[in-house]
Amino acid sequence: MAALSSHPDKVGENERAAADVKFKSISKAYEILSDDDKRDLYDAHGMSAFEAGSRGGMGADVDLEDILAQMFGMGGPMNGGGSRGTGPRKPRRGEDVEQPYNVTLEELYKGKSTKFASKKNVICSRCKGKGGKEDAKPRDCGSCQGRGTQQGLRNCQGTGKVYKDKDKCKKCKGERVVEEKKVLELYIPRGSKEGDKIVLEGEADQHPDQEPGSIIFHLVETEHKTFRRAGTDLTADVHISLVEALCGFSRTLIKHLDGRGIHVKHPQHGDGPLKASSILKIKGEGMPHKKSELRGDLYLIINVDLPDREWLQQDQRMNKLKGLLPNPKDPVEAETVDEVDYDHAELEDIGSGGHDQEGDQWEDEDDDDGGQQQCAQQ
C-alpha cells in the first residue's frame, strides 16, 4: 500500500521529514475515501472542501489531489457504482444562488407562473472556456507554479495556466466566461406554502470544469387582509347584524381567493341564533393540497354587529325591542350590594391590576440596614 511504502520508518534519515509529510497526506486521503460524507464532499468540491483546516501540517509541497489521482487514476476516489475507478471525476458543482420570493395568498391558492430576465456568466462560446485562442498554448502560472491549487488568483483563477495578452480570447478577454441575459420561468404550484423552495436547476453562474449550481427561491407568504392560513385550512372573520344573528340570513358573506362569492344560508339543520364568535365550517373551501385534488376547509368566525348609540337612544325603538326580546335573567342575590362604575378595557389590560405592580412590593425595613437589628436608644 502507498501508506506503508511512504512510512517514515521505511526510509533513510535524510528522507524522513519528506516521507513524514507524504505519509500524513496519504493517511488523510484514505480518511476521505473511507468516510462516505467526506468522499461526497471531495467528489463535489475537490480539496477546496477541506482547505479550512484539513491541510495543516501537511506541508505546502504536497498536493492531496495529486495523491488521490496517483492512487486511483485521474478520476478521483470512486466512480458512480461505489467502486474504485479510473474514469473522469464528476465535475465540481458551482455555488447555488438562494433568495426570498414574496407571494400572495391568492398566488399560493391558484398557483403562479411568471417569467423574468436573469443575468449570469456562461461558458464562452468562442474559446469553449479555455480563455485563449484556438491554436494558442498557455504557460504555467507564475504565482502557483502551474499547480492551480490556490483560489482567487488574478492570474490563472485557479487553473494553473495563463495566456499572453495577444493569445487571449477576444470575446471573453481570457476570463473564460461571458455575461449573458436569459429569460427564465418560475412556476409556483397551487397549494405551495411559506418556506417551500422553487429550484431552477443549473441556472446559476457557469464555470469551466464545474457543474453549474441552481437558483433557489424561498417562498415568503405576505399577510392577507381577509384570510389567515393554518396548514391547508383557511380562517376569516365575517360580520353580521343583530337581526341576522337572531332571525337568520341568506347572502354572500365573503369573496374567496379566486374571486368567487361564498353564499351562506342560516339557519340550517334546525340551528338556533348565531352567537358572537360562533364558527361556521365550510368543507372543501380551504387551500388545495399540492399534487392532489383534495382541499382543506374554510372556517368563518362570526362577529355580531350591535346597533349604534344613536339607534339605542330612541326610546320608542328600545321599548318595542324590549317587548319582543326575552326577559333578562333574575338578578344575583347577595346580602351586601355595591353599585360600581366601569371603564371600557381590552384583553391586553388583563393582568396589570390597574396600577404599577413594582411599587407594591413589600420591603423589609431591616434590608436598608444590611439586615442587622438596631437597638432602640434608652
Side-chain angles (χ1 to χ4, degrees), residues 271-291:
D271 295 339
L274 277 179
K275 299 179 180 180
S277 300
S278 296
I279 299 177
L280 305 182
K281 177 181 177 180
I282 315 297
K283 291 184 177 181
E285 288 294 349
M287 295 293 293
H289 293 229
K290 289 178 67 174
K291 302 179 181 180

Side-chain angles (χ1 to χ4, degrees), residues 95-158:
E95 293 184 359
D96 293 330
V97 177
E98 302 190 35
Q99 62 187 65
Y101 188 83
N102 293 333
V103 286
T104 65
L105 193 56
E106 285 92 347
E107 291 169 338
L108 296 175
Y109 182 84
K110 297 182 292 185
K112 178 182 180 180
S113 180
T114 183
K115 295 181 179 180
F116 65 98
S118 173
K119 289 183 178 181
K120 68 174 184 178
N121 290 333
V122 298
I123 304 297
C124 177
S125 60
R126 177 173 294 183
C127 66
K128 304 299 188 293
K130 290 172 50 181
K133 296 178 180 178
E134 183 176 357
D135 297 329
K137 293 184 179 180
R139 66 177 188 274
D140 288 344
C141 173
S143 298
C144 66
Q145 287 75 48
R147 295 160 61 85
T149 55
Q150 301 182 43
Q151 300 296 319
L153 293 176
R154 294 180 61 85
N155 289 339
C156 71
Q157 301 176 353

Side-chain angles (χ1 to χ4, degrees), residues 196-249:
D196 281 359
K197 296 180 181 180
I198 307 298
V199 181
L200 303 183
E201 191 69 36
E203 294 295 351
D205 284 339
Q206 297 179 4
H207 300 279
D209 306 320
Q210 283 192 8
E211 177 185 341
S214 300
I215 300 178
I216 303 176
F217 292 99
H218 298 264
L219 298 185
V220 179
E221 179 184 323
T222 58
E223 185 177 355
H224 197 274
K225 64 179 181 179
T226 301
F227 293 94
R228 297 175 297 276
R229 184 175 184 175
T232 56
D233 293 331
L234 291 171
T235 65
D237 293 318
V238 295
H239 291 257
I240 63 173
S241 67
L242 178 59
V243 172
E244 289 177 316
L246 296 174
C247 304
F249 56 86

Side-chain angles (χ1 to χ4, degrees), residues 6-21:
S6 300
H7 196 282
D9 294 340
K10 301 291 186 179
V11 299
E13 186 69 27
N14 59 335
E15 300 177 357
R16 186 160 297 175
D20 181 65
V21 172

